[in-house]
Structure formats: structure tokens, C-alpha cells
Amino acid sequence: MTVRLRGHHLLCMLTYEGVGYTEKFARNFDAVVARIRGQEAIEIVDGPDDVCRAWIEAPEAGEPHCALHRIGKRDRLALEAVGRLLGQELAAGWALVLTPDLLEELRARFRDGTLRQACAHCEWFDTCTAAAGAGFGNSLLALRRLPLAPDGPVGPPVRQRIG
């Protein structure tokens, strides 16, 4: 299985501290983060993803933010920035496994602003900035370092096109 994420949620997970728009949204995001901590691959998707599922399943919450035009722009900006960091173009259909080293690098680039273009007008900008400024200490996404095999690290990140 893979965790299906939009581009901007790839960045949101870096600072996510267990709060969200609603309790249902936060519980769902908690479950997504747990899957990523379990080393489940992340598949980049266009449109609603596993994080947005809580909005789609709760029509009382109003229009899902995943359907808004500005979110598509955030996705593109986030994927462009992460793609530059990885040295390849990212788009829907690509997958990766988040390793501790990759998470550390993504957070370092988030903290220094390299990955923040997509965050410019997000209502969570200040919350994410505070999380980064505090060293991500309260963020739920934490990955353990994998043991070294005789020939080097185990479990290199997978960066491939699916399908």
C-alpha cells in the first residue's frame, strides 16, 4: 500500500503536531502520519488524497479545501521545490519512501525557506513556522534510523514513477 499525498501535504506533514481544522481531520492526519512512520511509500497524487479524505467524508465541514484552485497551485509549488531538492521533477504518479535522512533534509530546507514557496498564503503558515523554529520537537512525524547493513544503509528511498 501507499499513502496518497498531494504536493502541499508532503510539506504539511513535516510540521504536523496533531491539530487540524476539525477533530476528525486531525484523527485522519494522525493515521496518515502513522502509516508514513511505518515506512509506507508515499504516492504523489493530483486531487483529493488520504489527508483530504476526512473533509470529503464530512460534508458538514463545507467544501473540501482540496477542491479549491489555490490548493492546486500550492501542490505545484511544493512539488517543484521538493523536486529541485531531490534533483528530479516530481508529479502525480511518482512515489518515494521517506527515510530519516530525507526527512531531516526536507525539514532543514523547510526551516531555511527553500521549501516554503507553496506556504505563502496558507492559514497555517505561522503555526508551521513556529514548529520549524522549535526544531520540529512536537511534530508527530518521527522516523527511526535504520540499522546499517554490511554494505551500507538499509532501505534507500524509492523515487520512481508508478505505473
Side-chain angles (χ1 to χ4, degrees), residues 22-38:
T22 66
E23 184 178 331
K24 183 176 182 177
F25 182 86
R27 274 195 320 270
N28 184 59
F29 208 148
D30 291 350
V32 169
V33 167
R35 291 170 58 197
I36 295 167
R37 279 195 318 254

Side-chain angles (χ1 to χ4, degrees), residues 87-149:
Q88 61 192 54
E89 187 175 325
L90 290 181
W94 282 86
L96 61 94
V97 173
L98 190 63
T99 64
D101 289 338
L102 180 54
L103 176 60
E104 188 175 304
E105 182 65 20
L106 289 169
R107 282 188 168 153
R109 300 295 66 88
F110 188 90
R111 189 174 27 254
D112 74 14
T114 304
L115 296 181
R116 298 295 302 270
Q117 300 87 348
C119 308
H121 300 288
C122 178
E123 60 268 35
W124 293 91
F125 185 87
D126 292 337
T127 302
C128 295
T129 299
F136 305 95
N138 293 322
S139 298
L140 296 184
L141 184 59
L143 299 175
R144 66 176 179 22
R145 298 243 174 242
L146 298 173
L148 292 181

Side-chain angles (χ1 to χ4, degrees), residues 10-78:
L10 190 59
L11 298 182
C12 294
M13 71 176 183
L14 300 174
T15 60
Y16 176 67
E17 295 181 338
V19 296
Y21 299 96
T22 66
E23 184 178 331
K24 183 176 182 177
F25 182 86
R27 274 195 320 270
N28 184 59
F29 208 148
D30 291 350
V32 169
V33 167
R35 291 170 58 197
I36 295 167
R37 279 195 318 254
Q39 295 293 291
E40 199 166 313
I42 297 168
E43 177 186 354
I44 305 299
V45 297
D46 282 329
D49 63 3
D50 290 346
V51 174
C52 286
R53 189 177 63 228
W55 280 99
I56 293 166
E57 293 173 356
E60 70 279 1
E63 183 179 24
H65 80 278
C66 290
L68 302 174
H69 175 73
R70 71 176 190 265
I71 301 303
K73 181 178 179 181
R74 284 185 194 162
D75 289 337
R76 286 187 301 281
L77 291 171

